[in-house]
Amino acid sequence: MVQIPDLSIIEDYLKDTTPDPMAYDPSSDPSTIVSQPLKDFYIRKSTDLMTLDVALCDWGSASWIENHLTEVIQPILLGAPEVVHRAPWGPPVDIWNLGAVLLEVLDAVRMFDGRAKQTGGIFQTKHYLEEIVALFGPFPPHLLALGDPKIVAEYFDDQGSIRDPVPRPQAFLENWIESLTGNDKDEFVMFLRSMMKVDPGDRPTAKELLSEAWFRRTTR
C-alpha cells in the first residue's frame, strides 16, 4: 500500500470528485463520493515514484523463521519449491516470491498456472511442480531429501523426476516478456532467473540483488 505523503491530497481529491447523484445525501455523507483511482493524486509526476512511502500489509500468512505459525506461508501459485514439499524454509522464500511477482507486474503474466488440459484444467500441485522444473530445472537431490517423505514420494520418483508428467511445450521465460526488448530484456531475464533458483541456497539475498545489472540500469 502507498502511504499518503501529504494530507492536502485528500482535499484535492474531494474537490475534484463529483458526488454520486443517486446517493442519499451527498452534502453531508462522505461515503457517497464516487470511487475512483487515486493514482492521479498520489503520483503527480513520474519522478515521484522514487519518493513514495510503501507500507506492507496483508500479513495473514506471515510467520517467523524460528517459530512457524503455519507452513502455508505463500499463495499457492507463488509457493517456493521448499515450501511446496515441506522442506525447511527461510528468507529465500521471499526472493522466490519477488521473482514471480515481478513478471506479473511487468507484463500481467502469471509465471505459473498449475493446470493442464489433459486433466481438465484443474489446479494440481503436480502440475505446478512440473512448471517449476520446466522453467528452472530439476529439484536437487539434497533438497528433496529435506522434504516431507510422503509429499516427495507422491510427486517424485526415485530419480528425483516428476512422476508421470503431462506432455507440455518447451517453456521459455523470454516469450512472456513483451514490454522489454534488447539488452534491457536480456538483463531482466537474468535478474528473474537469479531469483528463481530451485535450490534456496543458490538464491541471492535482497542486498545482493542490488548489484544485478538490470536493477542497476533501472535505478540510474
Side-chain angles (χ1 to χ4, degrees):
M1 294 171 58
V2 178
Q3 300 184 49
I4 298 176
D6 181 355
L7 293 182
S8 67
I9 289 175
I10 298 176
E11 296 178 6
D12 294 340
Y13 169 71
L14 296 176
K15 289 177 183 177
D16 295 345
T17 304
T18 304
D20 185 349
M22 302 300 292
Y24 173 70
D25 185 5
S27 63
S28 62
D29 185 358
S31 67
T32 61
I33 295 296
V34 179
S35 176
Q36 64 172 298
L38 291 177
K39 62 181 181 180
D40 293 334
F41 297 89
Y42 276 73
I43 307 172
R44 295 177 175 175
K45 56 182 183 297
S46 60
T47 53
D48 288 342
L49 287 171
M50 301 303 296
T51 61
L52 293 178
D53 292 322
V54 177
L56 300 181
C57 65
D58 193 3
W59 295 89
S61 298
S63 185
W64 289 282
I65 299 172
E66 299 83 5
N67 179 23
H68 293 190
L69 301 179
T70 175
E71 297 304 323
V72 185
I73 60 167
Q74 299 170 304
I76 292 175
L77 293 177
L78 296 178
E82 62 269 33
V83 172
V84 177
H85 76 299
R86 298 292 190 271
W89 53 261
V93 300
D94 295 324
I95 302 300
W96 177 274
N97 273 182
L98 178 60
V101 169
L102 276 179
L103 181 62
E104 189 168 347
V105 170
L106 181 69
D107 273 317
V109 175
R110 287 189 175 181
M111 189 175 290
F112 304 108
D113 181 66
R115 293 170 171 82
K117 293 180 180 179
Q118 296 91 327
T119 54
I122 299 173
F123 174 86
Q124 293 186 21
T125 299
K126 186 182 83 165
H127 296 328
Y128 177 55
L129 293 171
E130 288 170 349
E131 291 173 335
I132 291 176
V133 172
L135 281 173
F136 305 112
F139 281 55
H142 71 269
L143 181 60
L144 290 176
L146 293 172
D148 183 311
K150 291 183 179 179
I151 295 177
V152 173
E154 180 179 358
Y155 297 117
F156 297 89
D157 60 25
D158 293 340
Q159 286 70 47
S161 300
I162 304 293
R163 290 185 181 278
D164 304 316
V166 300
R168 294 174 180 272
Q170 189 170 0
F172 294 100
L173 191 59
E174 293 82 353
N175 292 348
W176 296 340
I177 301 170
E178 298 180 352
S179 59
L180 299 176
T181 59
N183 289 338
D184 204 19
K185 179 175 179 176
D186 293 340
E187 290 176 353
F188 181 68
V189 170
M190 292 176 61
F191 186 58
L192 282 186
R193 289 192 176 281
S194 73
M195 290 181 277
M196 307 302 291
K197 299 289 188 182
V198 174
D199 188 343
D202 292 337
R203 294 175 211 148
T205 64
K207 184 176 182 180
E208 289 169 342
L209 286 177
L210 297 177
S211 63
E212 289 284 342
W214 183 81
F215 191 84
R216 294 200 311 271
R217 174 194 291 266
T218 57
T219 55
R220 289 193 186 107

